[in-house]
Amino acid sequence: MSSFLVALAPLLVVGLGGLLLMLGEAFAHRERGGSGPSADLAIGSFVTLAAGAVVAFSLWLVGPENLGGAAGVAPFLIIDRFTLFFDIVLCVGGALAALLAGGYLPEHKLDRGEFYPLLIFSTLGAMVLASAGDLLSLFIGLETMSLGVYALVGFRRGSARSAEGAVKYFLLGSFAAALLLYGGAMLYGATGHTDLAGIGAALRGGTLTGADYGLAIVAMVLVLAGLAFKVSAVPFHMWTPDAYEGAPTPATSFMAVAVKSAAFATLLRVLVSAFGDPASMSWGTGWPPVVALLAVMTMTVANLVAGRQESVKRMLAYSSIAHAGYLLVAVVALMTQPGIAQGSILFYLLAYTVSTAGAFGALILCGSRGKEAVSYEDLAGIGHRHPVAAAAFALFLLSLTGVPPTAGFFAKLYVVRAAIGGGFLPLAILLLLNSVVAAYYYLRVLVYMYMREPAPGAPVAAPMRSGYVTAALLICAAGVMLLGLWPTRSLELAIDAALAAR
Amino acid sequence: MLSTIKQQFPATNFALLALILLMPALGALINGLFGKRMGKDAVRLTALASIGGSFLASLVTFIVVASEPGSRVTWTAWRWFSVTGRMRQDVGIDLAFSADGLSATMLLIVTGVGFLIHLYSTGYMAKDKGFHRFFAYLNLFIFAMLTLVLGDNMAVMFIGWEGVGLASYLLIGFWYEDEKKAAAGKKAFIVNRIGDFGLIMAMVLLVWYSGSLRFEDMQQRSSGLLTQVTLWPVTDLHQTIMPHWLASALTPASPWRVSAATLIGIFLFLGCAGKSAQIPLYVWLPDAMAGPTPVSALIHAATMVTAGVYLVARTSFVFVLSPAALTIVQTTGALTALFAASIAFAQTDLKKVLAYSTVSQLGFMFIGVGSGAFGAGMFHVITHAFFKGCLFLCAGSVIHAMHHRIHDDVASQDMRNMGGLRRYLPLTHATFLLSCIAIAGIPPLAGFWSKDEILFRAFASHIAPATAAVWVPPVWWGKMIFFVGLTAAVCTAFYMFRAYFLTFWGEFRGWRVVANFRPKKHGGHGHGAGALAGPPPHESPGVMTVPLVILAALAVVGGFLYAEPIHVAPLAHVLEPVFQKASQSVIVPEAAHGLVWPLMGAGVLAGVVGVAAAYYVYQVRGGAPARAFATSTGWFYRLVRDKWRIDELYQHTIVAATNAVAETAAAFDRWVIDGIIARLTAGTVALGGALLRAAHTGRVQVYAASMVAGVVGVGWFLVRPHADALVDTSGLRASGRVSLTAASGHGYSYRWRTADDDESVAYGHDKSYAVDLELCEKRTVYLGVKNAFNQAAERKYDLCRDANVPRAPGSQEAAACCSLDDAGRETAREWVRSKLKELDETQKRLEETKRAPEGLLKSLEQRGIKVEQLPGAPPAPQPPSQGPGGRP
């Protein structure tokens, strides 16, 4: 029994922490005019989520294979290195979002306590999703995560844009969830299993009848579509810019980082465990050509459209879609190089988490209430008005561009290496060409920050100052540089975490 | 003393290199973060101390390296990352730095000249509000440049390479308020990206073919670079999805192959041409003069732009393997030298003249390294750093003085507003004159020795090809280069002295600004054609003139560091060992040594002619011939003045094409995504979308429709049957066997048939199929699949085993038989069969002759004569298990 609890410790720590914070907030007596709930809750949430990451890391050190209780929760929750790696990534993403919120919410008069429990329980859902080895727990995790995020997107109640983004996200998210659920039902119908491993074994076994195979193929279509929505692959991406732009920036950061990572985690698990048989993984008729096409469309469309954006936040939204496209390239490489491809995806997500959270954090720091940094023009000359925010922004954008020696460079390098090693040279070349296009709009921010002065009379963004946000930026910057200067070790960890192919 | 240092810093852990790097980095950090609060004095002190300290450490390093010719010192920080090589081996890439003779010399130049220019800048920039920012950038630049020079492998070097680029853009756009200057920074950025693409490609290829990125290892394993690389076709096009006729049209008769060294050399040079402003990527450098003048002196004349030359010298072992690549380097250098010099003729902006002069001089350096004279090319880098650094600083001093009168950035750089300045700026004048003499190539100043050595080597030396198959340029090519270089040298002397006479002689013209100088906004308020009130120009302060004097002195005596013809070449002992391996392939014929002095005479004459012509045109005749030339050949003059309109050409071709692509993408977004999809789906949505319409938020319907389209697309793809097979032709050449493996799918059954079988062959579960082909035989295999939905698809595979045959019976011309038509192929098969038969018979005869000596030996032995081994005969009889001379 106790070992059971140990195996689930990261989930329990985060869940209990969230409950305690919610209780504490409910009974807190605040003086009028005193500091808002963010002052306590941001730190509390950060500590809770960081504790989740630390616990997950200690389980990693112990080794999940040594945890007796891990088998007890299988196949609903699978506690392996893959799960623990994602627990860490998700907790870090959530913790960074909590810190960003600690600065952002009071500044923008959004200081309401419910933000933090929503954030924590979403993270919990994401962690469940990443460890789910069964379609049922997968769906529960997905919905736990999504419901919280829908609310977070609509958190700026006064803003029409926020409400619009939330409703769009919710409607389309339900649609995608329905597709996924329907696909799951069909899989059960075809194979008689809801656990991913069982589905995989049934498909591999070759004992199904022709009609069952037909059902399984349709199910694969629906499941792929549902997951493609969550990773926001083109053409399932349309909700992303609106939701990202409408959401308060810390929530945007959370979505770009944690939600996307969890979606990739479950995509990997489904593709490797359930659809890992030769027929599903066939280059002729399986998911790899579909994913390859999605990857190409996602990269290309997102980058082209991102280049035309005038809003920096929207640009970052499209850029996050583009990064999903790069990751999908590595997903295709799963077909021939499962270990290296997964390692590269995990490393990429880690690097992407710190870079993107940092970029959104720097964007928060560049603007204050009523004087937000929205467009490129707003950022003009910020390099002189707020050198720290500008330098941090520059660092994270360079990492997203993939300039050495930042984390982003090695992330791209490893993905490209996996793609080339797996024999997908055209995809690798397209990825590189796309990064060149991406460099254009990332560096455009730098040009505005350092080489332009605001037009006279134009409203300028007034930088804000916040210890929380600065702390988050420091963590991100340290991550970006550490992964950039010592990438080898982190990659080894990521490869250790890869799911066994079969 | 020396031994103590060596003891303290062993060659493999030479931590002094870390110090050299760290000090400028620290300086940049302090000035960047706290400069605003520290005040100008502290900023100045930090900047100077960090570079000065770095210089002293560099000096120690240089002494250590120079004390033992051919030695190098290394310092490894840590294992950075590793990549997978060609043999699937792990190629480790360390964050490591090393200094050999070449790096140590560059260290001294970078930190030494860097220090002088820092010193100068403290005077030049004294009144600028971005003082601390300027020094932070400048220190950052030094740090990056040192990383570039010290990088032990190409990855580390590349960080420096990008770093100097970054610092350069920051400094070009330093006065970012000015739109034009920011645009110049952008231009430099974009052009350099093209070059970087080449460099990255070169790095990838180097890792692949030499299995390392360390310069040391790459040099040792450079033989791997002789591998032939097939450029086209990259794969058997007939096996791809493209239609047969297209594949045939795209497949050349024989594949296009080059050696890896050539490919790498060309890519490397593309990177070098970007950074070192060679044709066609030179356009950014003249625009880069928008930055403060000390920046032009340090980055765009003395150090960064020579990084390309440094890289070619550093990778000399690659280039000597490919005379073709070297010829490209050499020829590009020569063309750039002449072309840029021609543009410098008609420039009126003093800094622009110097900028084009820099481009031209870089061309000379590339002639040097391209001729295999790596030492001489690097020597020109050094002397150029002295005299061009000095010239730019003099120009800065002149502009500084002019700016006090004419408060206009452009007008104060215009030589038409100068003249007679030798009376006001005596020290600047003297140093400018000395540097002009040096660059014009008048002995015994520095420029003479380096330019002379380059031209001599271009004329005399050639590269010994590593293998017979390697292409070498004709002998007269080097002579052509020599004459182009000589012409460029005349031009150099002419335009430099034109600038000299226009600036320092005659009457001072700055009392009135040239009429209609700036037709745009500044026309009205006092800066127009009228007389100007203001103080007369005056000499710059001491902090600015001291660097001038030091650099001018170096420009005078620097030549004796490497004066080969008179055998005074201390620097040669430091530099030459670095190029030792490369130099083995460079041949200077004995006979050429007699040409040293005559060629030198020609070089001196070129300088003298140029100077004399400039003297006549601009001093004696007061510029009248130049004006006459301008009016008589109006269009030509305008063309030269407008820099041959290359910028406009690029603008209308490359930039316009890029814009067109971007516009198309935007239009696609606007019309197709927003327009068509939105409209197309509107109908669908109106029918069934009551719920969605209730939401009524923007175009969420379109979003949903897009998802539906996605599901339908994915579903259509997966539900449709796909006949697709992996064709393994690895056995085709040897045995004629082709194996096909069908891609599996859920619920699939497969059917293999050839053209002879009819449609009635049944579907089964056999996924693989093999065909054995004779030479020149062609067979068509059909793969049919049927999927879980009982839908069928079929795909055709044309297989053919190729051989070289006569195009027609009796013809001498060869052809690949698979490209022939059916009848031709049948004839070819007959021909091949007969040839095989002949071969068989020959083989039989050969065996018989082989057996003959065995018989002879036996009979000799029977007669009691022992023969150890017949000369030229096969070895003594083998044990019987092998069979007597059996066919393999």
Side-chain angles (χ1 to χ4, degrees), chain B residues 766-797:
Chain B
D766 207 356
K767 278 198 288 191
S768 26
Y769 188 72
V771 203
D772 288 303
L773 294 172
E774 277 182 54
L775 278 171
C776 291
E777 188 188 2
K778 188 173 197 172
R779 218 180 292 173
T780 307
V781 174
Y782 294 88
L783 162 64
V785 297
K786 195 181 264 183
N787 71 357
F789 304 95
N790 245 347
Q791 288 175 305
E794 192 164 60
R795 178 141 177 218
K796 180 173 142 188
Y797 289 91

Short mmCIF file of all heavy atoms in Angstrom, two decimals, chain B residues 766-797:
data_model
loop_
_atom_site.label_atom_id
_atom_site.label_comp_id
_atom_site.label_asym_id
_atom_site.label_seq_id
_atom_site.Cartn_x
_atom_site.Cartn_y
_atom_site.Cartn_z
N ASP B 766 1.85 -12.65 -48.86
CA ASP B 766 3.29 -12.57 -49.06
C ASP B 766 3.68 -11.12 -49.34
O ASP B 766 3.31 -10.54 -50.36
CB ASP B 766 3.68 -13.47 -50.24
CG ASP B 766 5.11 -13.93 -50.09
OD1 ASP B 766 5.75 -13.48 -49.12
OD2 ASP B 766 5.55 -14.73 -50.93
N LYS B 767 4.45 -10.55 -48.40
CA LYS B 767 4.78 -9.15 -48.54
C LYS B 767 6.04 -8.92 -49.37
O LYS B 767 6.28 -7.82 -49.84
CB LYS B 767 4.99 -8.52 -47.15
CG LYS B 767 3.69 -8.13 -46.52
CD LYS B 767 3.89 -7.16 -45.42
CE LYS B 767 4.52 -7.83 -44.20
NZ LYS B 767 4.49 -6.95 -43.03
N SER B 768 6.86 -9.99 -49.50
CA SER B 768 8.10 -9.73 -50.23
C SER B 768 8.13 -10.53 -51.53
O SER B 768 7.47 -11.56 -51.68
CB SER B 768 9.31 -10.04 -49.36
OG SER B 768 8.99 -11.00 -48.41
N TYR B 769 8.94 -10.07 -52.41
CA TYR B 769 8.98 -10.61 -53.75
C TYR B 769 10.39 -10.36 -54.27
O TYR B 769 10.99 -9.33 -53.96
CB TYR B 769 7.96 -9.87 -54.61
CG TYR B 769 7.74 -10.44 -55.99
CD1 TYR B 769 7.07 -11.64 -56.17
CD2 TYR B 769 8.21 -9.77 -57.11
CE1 TYR B 769 6.86 -12.15 -57.43
CE2 TYR B 769 8.00 -10.27 -58.37
CZ TYR B 769 7.33 -11.46 -58.54
OH TYR B 769 7.13 -11.97 -59.78
N ALA B 770 10.91 -11.31 -55.03
CA ALA B 770 12.26 -11.10 -55.54
C ALA B 770 12.30 -11.42 -57.02
O ALA B 770 11.59 -12.31 -57.49
CB ALA B 770 13.26 -11.98 -54.79
N VAL B 771 13.09 -10.69 -57.74
CA VAL B 771 13.26 -10.90 -59.17
C VAL B 771 14.74 -11.03 -59.44
O VAL B 771 15.54 -10.32 -58.84
CB VAL B 771 12.76 -9.68 -59.98
CG1 VAL B 771 12.41 -10.11 -61.38
CG2 VAL B 771 11.61 -9.01 -59.30
N ASP B 772 15.11 -11.95 -60.34
CA ASP B 772 16.50 -12.03 -60.78
C ASP B 772 16.59 -11.56 -62.22
O ASP B 772 15.87 -12.06 -63.09
CB ASP B 772 17.01 -13.47 -60.66
CG ASP B 772 17.20 -13.85 -59.21
OD1 ASP B 772 17.96 -13.13 -58.54
OD2 ASP B 772 16.54 -14.80 -58.75
N LEU B 773 17.43 -10.63 -62.44
CA LEU B 773 17.51 -10.02 -63.76
C LEU B 773 18.84 -10.36 -64.41
O LEU B 773 19.88 -10.40 -63.75
CB LEU B 773 17.39 -8.50 -63.65
CG LEU B 773 16.05 -7.97 -63.16
CD1 LEU B 773 16.17 -6.48 -62.93
CD2 LEU B 773 14.98 -8.26 -64.18
N GLU B 774 18.78 -10.56 -65.71
CA GLU B 774 20.03 -10.65 -66.47
C GLU B 774 20.49 -9.24 -66.78
O GLU B 774 19.72 -8.28 -66.64
CB GLU B 774 19.77 -11.39 -67.78
CG GLU B 774 19.80 -12.90 -67.66
CD GLU B 774 19.58 -13.52 -69.02
OE1 GLU B 774 20.33 -13.16 -69.95
OE2 GLU B 774 18.67 -14.33 -69.15
N LEU B 775 21.72 -9.14 -67.27
CA LEU B 775 22.20 -7.83 -67.67
C LEU B 775 21.32 -7.31 -68.79
O LEU B 775 20.96 -8.05 -69.72
CB LEU B 775 23.65 -7.92 -68.15
CG LEU B 775 24.70 -7.91 -67.04
CD1 LEU B 775 26.06 -8.21 -67.60
CD2 LEU B 775 24.70 -6.57 -66.33
N CYS B 776 20.97 -6.04 -68.73
CA CYS B 776 20.17 -5.36 -69.73
C CYS B 776 18.74 -5.90 -69.82
O CYS B 776 18.02 -5.59 -70.77
CB CYS B 776 20.81 -5.38 -71.11
SG CYS B 776 22.27 -4.37 -71.18
N GLU B 777 18.36 -6.70 -68.86
CA GLU B 777 16.99 -7.17 -68.90
C GLU B 777 16.10 -6.18 -68.16
O GLU B 777 16.49 -5.60 -67.14
CB GLU B 777 16.88 -8.54 -68.23
CG GLU B 777 15.51 -9.17 -68.41
CD GLU B 777 15.34 -10.43 -67.61
OE1 GLU B 777 16.29 -10.79 -66.86
OE2 GLU B 777 14.30 -11.06 -67.70
N LYS B 778 14.90 -6.01 -68.69
CA LYS B 778 13.97 -5.09 -68.05
C LYS B 778 12.70 -5.86 -67.74
O LYS B 778 12.21 -6.63 -68.57
CB LYS B 778 13.66 -3.95 -69.01
CG LYS B 778 12.86 -2.84 -68.38
CD LYS B 778 12.75 -1.69 -69.35
CE LYS B 778 12.32 -0.41 -68.66
NZ LYS B 778 12.41 0.71 -69.59
N ARG B 779 12.21 -5.69 -66.55
CA ARG B 779 10.99 -6.40 -66.22
C ARG B 779 10.07 -5.48 -65.42
O ARG B 779 10.54 -4.61 -64.67
CB ARG B 779 11.31 -7.66 -65.40
CG ARG B 779 10.38 -8.80 -65.82
CD ARG B 779 10.62 -10.04 -65.06
NE ARG B 779 11.89 -10.69 -65.33
CZ ARG B 779 12.29 -11.75 -64.62
NH1 ARG B 779 11.56 -12.22 -63.64
NH2 ARG B 779 13.44 -12.33 -64.90
N THR B 780 8.81 -5.67 -65.59
CA THR B 780 7.85 -4.84 -64.88
C THR B 780 7.12 -5.71 -63.87
O THR B 780 6.63 -6.79 -64.21
CB THR B 780 6.85 -4.23 -65.86
OG1 THR B 780 7.58 -3.58 -66.89
CG2 THR B 780 5.97 -3.23 -65.17
N VAL B 781 7.09 -5.22 -62.63
CA VAL B 781 6.42 -5.96 -61.57
C VAL B 781 5.27 -5.11 -61.07
O VAL B 781 5.42 -3.90 -60.91
CB VAL B 781 7.41 -6.26 -60.43
CG1 VAL B 781 6.68 -6.89 -59.25
CG2 VAL B 781 8.52 -7.14 -60.91
N TYR B 782 4.13 -5.74 -60.89
CA TYR B 782 2.99 -5.02 -60.36
C TYR B 782 2.72 -5.48 -58.94
O TYR B 782 2.64 -6.67 -58.68
CB TYR B 782 1.75 -5.27 -61.20
CG TYR B 782 1.85 -4.70 -62.59
CD1 TYR B 782 2.39 -5.44 -63.62
CD2 TYR B 782 1.39 -3.42 -62.86
CE1 TYR B 782 2.49 -4.92 -64.90
CE2 TYR B 782 1.48 -2.89 -64.13
CZ TYR B 782 2.03 -3.65 -65.16
OH TYR B 782 2.12 -3.12 -66.40
N LEU B 783 2.58 -4.50 -58.05
CA LEU B 783 2.16 -4.83 -56.69
C LEU B 783 0.71 -4.40 -56.53
O LEU B 783 0.38 -3.24 -56.73
CB LEU B 783 3.03 -4.09 -55.67
CG LEU B 783 2.47 -4.01 -54.26
CD1 LEU B 783 2.35 -5.39 -53.63
CD2 LEU B 783 3.34 -3.12 -53.38
N GLY B 784 -0.12 -5.37 -56.23
CA GLY B 784 -1.51 -5.02 -55.97
C GLY B 784 -1.79 -5.21 -54.49
O GLY B 784 -1.27 -6.16 -53.88
N VAL B 785 -2.57 -4.32 -53.89
CA VAL B 785 -2.97 -4.54 -52.50
C VAL B 785 -4.47 -4.39 -52.41
O VAL B 785 -5.11 -3.69 -53.20
CB VAL B 785 -2.31 -3.54 -51.53
CG1 VAL B 785 -0.83 -3.70 -51.52
CG2 VAL B 785 -2.71 -2.12 -51.85
N LYS B 786 -5.00 -5.04 -51.43
CA LYS B 786 -6.42 -4.89 -51.15
C LYS B 786 -6.51 -4.65 -49.65
O LYS B 786 -5.87 -5.33 -48.86
CB LYS B 786 -7.14 -6.18 -51.54
CG LYS B 786 -8.64 -6.00 -51.63
CD LYS B 786 -9.30 -7.30 -51.99
CE LYS B 786 -9.54 -7.41 -53.50
NZ LYS B 786 -10.24 -8.65 -53.82
N ASN B 787 -7.26 -3.62 -49.24
CA ASN B 787 -7.24 -3.28 -47.82
C ASN B 787 -8.49 -3.80 -47.12
O ASN B 787 -9.30 -4.54 -47.69
CB ASN B 787 -7.09 -1.77 -47.64
CG ASN B 787 -8.32 -1.01 -48.02
OD1 ASN B 787 -9.29 -1.59 -48.48
ND2 ASN B 787 -8.28 0.29 -47.84
N ALA B 788 -8.63 -3.41 -45.87
CA ALA B 788 -9.71 -3.95 -45.04
C ALA B 788 -11.07 -3.56 -45.59
O ALA B 788 -12.07 -4.20 -45.26
CB ALA B 788 -9.55 -3.44 -43.62
N PHE B 789 -11.12 -2.50 -46.38
CA PHE B 789 -12.40 -2.09 -46.94
C PHE B 789 -12.62 -2.68 -48.32
O PHE B 789 -13.45 -2.19 -49.07
CB PHE B 789 -12.46 -0.56 -46.99
CG PHE B 789 -12.22 0.07 -45.67
CD1 PHE B 789 -10.95 0.51 -45.30
CD2 PHE B 789 -13.25 0.21 -44.76
CE1 PHE B 789 -10.72 1.07 -44.08
CE2 PHE B 789 -13.02 0.77 -43.53
CZ PHE B 789 -11.76 1.20 -43.17
N ASN B 790 -11.78 -3.68 -48.66
CA ASN B 790 -11.91 -4.37 -49.93
C ASN B 790 -11.64 -3.46 -51.14
O ASN B 790 -12.12 -3.72 -52.22
CB ASN B 790 -13.29 -4.99 -50.08
CG ASN B 790 -13.14 -6.50 -50.11
OD1 ASN B 790 -12.01 -6.99 -50.27
ND2 ASN B 790 -14.22 -7.23 -49.96
N GLN B 791 -10.91 -2.39 -50.90
CA GLN B 791 -10.54 -1.56 -52.02
C GLN B 791 -9.15 -2.00 -52.48
O GLN B 791 -8.32 -2.38 -51.67
CB GLN B 791 -10.48 -0.10 -51.60
CG GLN B 791 -11.85 0.48 -51.36
CD GLN B 791 -11.71 1.89 -50.83
OE1 GLN B 791 -11.04 2.10 -49.82
NE2 GLN B 791 -12.33 2.82 -51.50
N ALA B 792 -8.95 -1.92 -53.80
CA ALA B 792 -7.67 -2.41 -54.32
C ALA B 792 -6.90 -1.27 -54.97
O ALA B 792 -7.47 -0.28 -55.42
CB ALA B 792 -7.91 -3.51 -55.34
N ALA B 793 -5.59 -1.42 -54.97
CA ALA B 793 -4.74 -0.46 -55.66
C ALA B 793 -3.58 -1.23 -56.25
O ALA B 793 -3.24 -2.32 -55.79
CB ALA B 793 -4.23 0.60 -54.69
N GLU B 794 -3.02 -0.68 -57.28
CA GLU B 794 -1.91 -1.38 -57.91
C GLU B 794 -0.83 -0.37 -58.25
O GLU B 794 -1.11 0.80 -58.54
CB GLU B 794 -2.38 -2.08 -59.18
CG GLU B 794 -1.34 -3.05 -59.70
CD GLU B 794 -1.95 -4.02 -60.71
OE1 GLU B 794 -2.46 -3.55 -61.74
OE2 GLU B 794 -1.91 -5.22 -60.45
N ARG B 795 0.40 -0.84 -58.19
CA ARG B 795 1.50 0.04 -58.55
C ARG B 795 2.50 -0.73 -59.37
O ARG B 795 2.71 -1.93 -59.16
CB ARG B 795 2.16 0.59 -57.29
CG ARG B 795 3.31 1.46 -57.59
CD ARG B 795 3.36 2.64 -56.65
NE ARG B 795 4.55 3.40 -56.97
CZ ARG B 795 5.30 3.99 -56.07
NH1 ARG B 795 4.97 3.90 -54.81
NH2 ARG B 795 6.36 4.66 -56.43
N LYS B 796 3.11 -0.02 -60.30
CA LYS B 796 3.99 -0.67 -61.27
C LYS B 796 5.43 -0.36 -60.91
O LYS B 796 5.75 0.79 -60.56
CB LYS B 796 3.64 -0.06 -62.63
CG LYS B 796 4.42 -0.57 -63.78
CD LYS B 796 3.80 0.02 -65.04
CE LYS B 796 4.89 0.37 -66.02
NZ LYS B 796 4.46 1.11 -67.17
N TYR B 797 6.28 -1.35 -60.97
CA TYR B 797 7.71 -1.12 -60.73
C TYR B 797 8.48 -1.57 -61.95
O TYR B 797 8.41 -2.74 -62.33
CB TYR B 797 8.17 -1.88 -59.50
CG TYR B 797 7.64 -1.29 -58.23
CD1 TYR B 797 6.45 -1.73 -57.69
CD2 TYR B 797 8.31 -0.26 -57.60
CE1 TYR B 797 5.92 -1.17 -56.56
CE2 TYR B 797 7.80 0.33 -56.46
CZ TYR B 797 6.61 -0.14 -55.94
OH TYR B 797 6.11 0.44 -54.82
#
